[in-house]
Amino acid sequence: MRLAVLVSGNGTNLQSIIDAIRERYIPKVEISFVVSSNSDAYALKRAEENGLRTVVVAKKELVSVLKPIFERVDLVVLAGFLWIIPDELLKIKPIINVHPSLLPLFGGKGMYGARVSGAIIASGMRISGPTVHLVTNDIDGGPIIMQKCMEVRDDDTPESLLERTHPLEHQILVEAIKQMSEKKYKIVGKRVIFP
Ligand code: GAR
């Protein structure tokens, strides 16, 4: 299964996929392209260090650059890519996204990073956790593939909560990719299942 992984920042989720491939936990998976919206992204360094093909994309050329890439892979992974994927790219290949909250809570336009964890703390919720879901034109609202739960601590800050969410993101992202590389999935209501 060939992946395009779309990034914009640190790239810890990208790294978790690279590591899982190297450890042969997802032996059917290879990363064909790493696409970044930001030429300074540390994620690009990680990609280059691992001999992966990298592409930097500008907002105005999103469709023309991404279309041929999407056509050449089997699955697109948004791993910290924050731009909305235009409608005309949504039907080419399945696209999954990792988000740092228990969707459908704390998602939607402009909700990323510490804005999400800050809103979780402000809400008073005692639990949190990341979500991996299929991308549709409903921002952060596509069918849910996997989630994992954790506690929100009394002394959590937006930064500490986000940092503790990261390892869980890595686990469920790799797990979702593994399932999708090994099985056919079905969308049942708002959920993705692997029958
Ligand atoms: C992750 O926390 C991911 O959940 C978030 O960007 C971060 C990327 O981290 N994505 C969103 O908030 C999408 N709405 P990384 O560059 O270290 O993988």
Side-chain angles (χ1 to χ4, degrees):
M1 190 173 73
R2 293 159 303 172
L3 306 186
V5 184
L6 276 56
V7 298
S8 69
N10 191 357
T12 62
N13 281 286
L14 167 67
Q15 188 68 53
S16 70
I17 304 169
I18 293 172
D19 293 345
I21 293 172
R22 180 172 311 122
E23 289 156 14
R24 300 199 56 74
Y25 184 65
I26 43 175
K28 295 182 176 164
V29 177
E30 64 180 87
I31 299 173
S32 303
F33 300 92
V34 174
V35 182
S36 177
S37 58
N38 165 11
S39 59
D40 296 330
Y42 187 65
L44 285 174
K45 277 221 173 61
R46 297 180 191 268
E48 281 155 14
E49 272 166 17
N50 286 279
L52 300 172
R53 190 175 327 168
T54 59
V55 177
V56 176
V57 65
K59 211 167 200 172
K60 59 178 188 320
E61 57 182 30
L62 210 52
V63 173
S64 61
V65 169
L66 292 184
K67 192 163 186 273
I69 291 176
F70 284 20
E71 280 162 354
R72 290 166 65 186
V73 299
D74 305 299
L75 177 67
V76 176
V77 179
L78 307 186
F81 193 77
L82 303 176
W83 293 342
I84 307 297
I85 303 294
D87 278 357
E88 53 203 297
L89 296 177
L90 290 178
K91 291 278 142 61
I92 303 176
K93 292 291 159 62
I95 307 173
I96 64 174
N97 179 47
V98 59
H99 181 84
S101 75
L102 292 170
L103 292 173
L105 299 174
F106 310 109
K109 200 167 187 300
M111 286 299 268
Y112 58 86
R115 291 203 202 166
V116 179
S117 48
I120 295 166
I121 291 171
S123 77
M125 280 196 66
R126 287 292 187 186
I127 55 163
S128 183
T131 300
V132 175
H133 65 94
L134 276 178
V135 172
T136 64
N137 62 2
D138 180 9
I139 300 169
D140 291 331
I144 291 173
I145 304 171
M146 230 162 259
Q147 295 183 308
K148 207 144 206 172
C149 238
M150 59 191 277
E151 228 178 291
V152 178
R153 295 184 183 151
D154 289 347
D155 60 354
D156 259 326
T157 62
E159 291 70 31
S160 71
L161 181 58
L162 205 56
E163 197 179 308
R164 290 193 304 104
T165 309
H166 263 121
L168 299 188
E169 288 188 349
H170 304 159
Q171 282 175 30
I172 61 171
L173 182 59
V174 166
E175 208 48 50
I177 293 170
K178 183 175 173 66
Q179 297 273 329
M180 292 179 90
S181 73
E182 291 174 354
K183 299 174 191 164
K184 282 204 161 41
Y185 67 85
K186 233 165 76 179
I187 298 171
V188 179
K190 294 285 285 177
R191 218 171 270 150
V192 173
I193 62 166
F194 297 91

